[in-house]
Amino acid sequence: MHAANADAFWTLSPGHGEIRSQPLAPRDEDALLIRSHFSAVSRGTESLVFQGKVPESEYTRMRAPFQEGDFPGPVKYGYANVGVVEAGPAAWRGRDVFCLYPHQTRYVVPIEAVVPLPDDLPAARAILGANMETAINALWDAAPRIGDRITVIGAGVVGGLVAWLCRQIAGVRVQLLDIDADKAELAAALGVAFRHPHDAEGAQDVIVHASGSPAGLRSALPLAGYEAEIIELSWFGQDDVTLPLGEAFHSQRLTLRASQVGGVSPARRARRSHSQRLQLALSLLRDARLDALIDGESDFADLPTTLARLSTAHRPGLCHRIRYP
């Protein structure tokens, strides 16, 4: 007999959250009851949600698949959960799965909402699935070519994954940039060159910006080669971003383009579903070197204080894993 209630994390108002008990949704024959192993905190988007910085114009577009409540709060938000199927069709029971679900101890979802983990992918690393999806979508948008010179600005989780994927393309030279010199250790673990933006090589073919900082985006412009493309992965919420487009932006014929994971890249939309993209993301997480992208772990019960601390950190860290009892 499974518990009729579950505990979930809710953002109540900007900067304040709590664990709430709530009834589980009823489960029909084709749905799954999942007990959470781990979830992950999205340092960028989730921090903006927690701080109440989602623009009113984006309230609908920013909804997570299983969000409850509305912005700015109370709202239950999140999209990186790995758990085990406790009840459902026999073929699913006992399987570890990934789901775009908020931070909650147990939950009920349709079968089509989950993707089974590959047998050789540890659940503790699978929480990077949503981040890997974002990185895959960015590369589909950027379409790097053999021998390209590629710069990734921002050595966070998504930036690290983008750089790691790019380095596997034949002949490509990748540099991962960050103002935090300590991120050199992450770059070394991922096998990519690390540089401070002031020391970066110029004349780049593709630049992917993922620092979450307007200064990071501004630093991309002088590094771009003639007719190069800059792919913007950061989301700034309500913050204004000022760019020096009066300098070499026009003479260099640069392109600045947004990449957002909510829609499958137009380059693959006709032939890849969201589920197929997530399956690909999980399959690419088998490499143990990617554990370097997880730099912290805490208990689910501590999530209100953990998220308050992470969302106000002077320098965002990497992936923070939430552990469930």
Side-chain angles (χ1 to χ4, degrees), residues 214-321:
L217 179 55
R218 287 192 290 270
S219 72
L221 298 177
L223 298 177
Y226 184 70
E227 294 188 337
E229 188 165 57
I230 301 167
I231 303 297
E232 176 57 88
L233 282 177
S234 299
W235 185 60
F236 298 100
Q238 296 177 330
D239 296 338
D240 291 331
V241 177
T242 302
L243 297 178
L245 300 184
E247 296 181 358
F249 184 79
H250 284 288
S251 62
Q252 288 286 83
R253 293 175 51 87
L254 303 182
T255 297
L256 173 60
R257 187 151 57 93
S259 177
Q260 204 277 338
V261 72
V264 175
S265 169
R268 293 294 178 271
R269 191 172 298 167
R271 298 174 299 280
R272 299 291 190 281
S273 66
H274 285 82
S275 178
Q276 288 172 323
R277 186 181 62 183
L278 181 53
Q279 290 174 22
L280 174 61
L282 293 172
S283 73
L284 293 175
L285 288 173
R286 291 184 171 103
D287 196 316
R289 287 174 293 183
L290 298 179
D291 285 334
L293 293 164
I294 301 170
D295 68 346
E297 182 175 288
S298 58
D299 289 334
F300 170 73
D302 299 326
L303 191 48
T305 55
T306 297
L307 195 47
R309 173 175 54 83
L310 296 177
S311 66
T312 57
H314 177 61
R315 288 188 178 176
L318 300 171
C319 176
H320 189 90
R321 185 167 54 210

Side-chain angles (χ1 to χ4, degrees), residues 32-38 81-87 89-100 105 107 109 111 113-127 278-279 282-283 324:
L32 305 175
L33 171 64
I34 297 169
R35 175 173 55 83
S36 298
H37 286 319
F38 302 100
N81 187 292
V82 176
V84 60
V85 177
E86 289 195 321
W92 285 89
R93 289 196 292 270
R95 299 185 73 176
D96 286 338
V97 295
F98 182 95
C99 186
L100 297 168
T105 53
Y107 53 93
V109 290
I111 288 176
V114 307
V115 174
L117 302 193
D119 291 339
D120 52 352
L121 174 61
R125 190 187 311 138
I127 57 166
L278 181 53
Q279 290 174 22
L282 293 172
S283 73
Y324 289 76

